[in-house]
Amino acid sequence: MKKVKAAHVRLDEKFATAICGNDILSSTLYVSGIAIIFAGVYAPIVFLLVALVLYLYKSVYTEVVEALPVNGGAYNCLLNGTSKSLAANAGIMTLLSYVATAVISAKVAVEYLNSVIGHIPVIPATIVLLALFGLLVIGGIKDSARVALGIFIFHIVTLFGLLIMGAVFALNNNGFFIENLQHTTSILTNQGGLLKALLLGFAASLLGVSGFESSANFVEEQQRGVFRKTLRNMLLGVAFFSPLITLVVLNSLSFEAISHAKDFLLADTAYAVGGSIFKTILALDAFAVLSGAVLTSFVGVSGLMQRMAADACLPNFFSKQNKNGSFSRIIIFFFFLCTSILLVTNGELLSLAGMYTISFLGVMSLFAFGNMILHETRTELKRTYKAPRLFVVIAMLATTVGIVGNILIDPNNLLFFALYFIPCAVVVYGVMNQEMILKTIINRLPSDNALRRALEWKFKRVISGRYIIFLRNMHRLFPTIEYLVRNENNYNLTIVHCGKHERAQDDKGYQRLKTIIPALQDAGVHPYLKIDTLYKKASFGPEIIAQVSEELEVPKNRILIGSIHHSHNFDYDQLGGVRIIF
């Protein structure tokens, strides 16, 4: 274990920004065309609205993730604020978002490269690209981040080049903006007016903010204070580049050309303002940055699935690290999942695009919902920042409108999302409720049945794990036991009480605890639970948590505590990933 911890690398601002920035800024390669199709010359206004939504979400994410800086994003937020079941739904949607990001980005990257080189077998090359980035992440996050930084710098330079050439083109040519302004009138008529056009354009263009949630999924790999900076940097990137690049496109190409080349729009824009050489440069940049989005997917899904496996939402098989500190089993599984979906769809990724949009907008909406829940259920939780309640509400409403808008654009989007979500939910809920499932099957089998004996052995292993609860206030005892019964399979519980006395019998609080527990069990309150107690002469904090975790051989994510208050002289991230339940 010590070697694994030694290999753990904390990323600084530039590396962390590069990893998630490649994801969110890769959208500039296709999202301008989407906005123009719906809103015409008003597309830059749409992107300013999108940037406003990101500004609101910056507050939402900053509050929650800095208070609970553990990998998992919306999943971790809801796990510490509500129930495990609701958190699992957020985890599934995040996983689906990463699958869609990886497959779509890899395939479009190969197609951009194919537009320059030609004769590339797109599907096999996409699989090779996925495999290469999977191997890169298995090799360690530090090397992955260095590659991401190189890609990110190249992309920023290329986008600035496009803006400069677009400005020169506008000064020396009449351009197509006036023509596109006139064409916008017919667009508004077809869409049912300006307001509806802006609504649909806004909903479709929210595809361009995917990646904003990625930083929260690998926050444990970032240095303290970096997370807030990654959000700021992503916001600035979207707010600056998306509206300006859309203006360049509107002035450089006719609406007919934009509609024809909306999937590879910036390549044609680069040709219009800079010729064939610049088109080649932009196509290579597109290949690189979309590949960077693939890398982001692998990094983000590693943090998410490891956390879900540690919390028994996924098989424990996925929680093992290699000598480089990477979760190679997760990476291999994710690669095969992406490859299988690519082969099943034969590269026709419209279904994934629908799943993609609803998934990540659902994740962001759930994150805002989790923020509001934490305000109610974890009022005493130590926070470095508190988002204005109005910001949280408007942010949630905005992404909810985005989900509804995407369903209105194409009702099949909801169907495609359900086709992927339901099988994943069956697996996750099967793991979470394996104790109940095994018990039901065992009770239906004859006592001398070989399968029954095998399942009984499995059942004993499932319930043999132990949870630890640090408890001081006795009025929290019954709600805590109820939480454990509702959310976990395990029947063994140790309640730890920290006090100032040398001897346990001198501590009145601990003696009361020792009296209450037998009374609860005699009264038939969850009699199948095996509850024992432990007294420690110590102050509650990172040291005693680490000591008890090692002494009882229980991982820290199975330690349940109350909220960290501002009176505590330590922060949540020093506790090693324990779960807050009250």
Side-chain angles (χ1 to χ4, degrees), residues 101-333:
T101 299
V103 177
I104 292 174
S105 297
K107 183 173 181 289
V108 174
V110 170
E111 288 179 340
Y112 259 104
L113 189 64
N114 190 45
S115 70
V116 176
I117 300 175
H119 309 295
I120 296 176
V122 174
I123 300 298
T126 301
I127 295 172
V128 170
L129 185 63
L130 288 167
L132 287 175
F133 278 95
L135 291 172
L136 184 62
V137 176
I138 288 174
I141 191 170
K142 187 175 182 179
D143 292 333
S144 304
R146 286 172 176 166
V147 172
L149 180 61
I151 293 172
F152 186 67
I153 292 172
F154 182 45
H155 185 52
I156 294 297
V157 171
T158 303
L159 292 181
F160 270 114
L162 181 63
L163 292 178
I164 293 170
M165 289 189 173
V168 172
F169 179 86
L171 292 173
N172 296 312
N173 299 274
N174 292 327
F176 292 91
F177 190 85
I178 300 300
E179 177 184 324
N180 289 331
L181 178 61
Q182 296 170 347
H183 191 84
T184 299
T185 304
S186 63
I187 295 177
L188 297 182
T189 301
N190 293 333
Q191 297 291 355
L194 177 61
L195 185 61
K196 186 175 180 181
L198 290 175
L199 172 64
L200 296 180
F202 170 77
S205 299
L206 282 173
L207 183 66
V209 305
S210 65
F212 194 76
E213 78 283 359
S214 295
S215 185
N217 284 313
F218 64 97
V219 66
E220 290 181 54
E221 278 65 59
Q222 300 173 34
Q223 294 174 7
R224 179 170 290 196
V226 164
F227 175 75
R228 186 183 296 207
K229 296 176 182 178
T230 65
L231 298 184
R232 177 202 63 196
N233 296 341
M234 285 189 286
L235 169 62
L236 291 174
V238 170
F240 179 78
F241 284 113
S242 293
L244 292 179
I245 286 175
T246 305
L247 285 173
V248 171
V249 171
L250 284 165
N251 190 61
S252 305
L253 299 173
S254 67
F255 187 85
E256 182 180 356
I258 293 170
S259 180
H260 177 72
K262 61 181 182 298
D263 293 333
F264 309 99
L265 184 59
L266 293 197
D268 282 7
T269 304
Y271 181 78
V273 301
S276 57
I277 294 177
F278 190 54
K279 177 182 178 180
T280 300
I281 293 173
L282 193 135
L284 293 175
D285 167 63
F287 174 77
V289 75
L290 286 165
S291 297
V294 177
L295 174 61
T296 300
S297 298
F298 276 104
V299 173
V301 84
S302 295
L304 171 68
M305 290 185 65
Q306 181 275 329
R307 177 68 179 177
M308 292 182 70
D311 293 328
C313 291
L314 290 172
N316 192 53
F317 172 83
F318 291 117
S319 61
K320 184 176 177 57
Q321 284 180 287
N322 63 18
K323 64 180 181 180
N324 296 316
S326 300
F327 297 92
S328 53
R329 293 177 179 179
I330 292 175
I331 299 303
I332 294 170
F333 166 79

Side-chain angles (χ1 to χ4, degrees), residues 65 103 207 330 342 374 403 472 501 553:
V65 177
V103 177
L207 183 66
I330 292 175
L342 178 69
L374 284 172
I403 294 172
R472 183 168 183 83
H501 298 280
E553 298 182 340

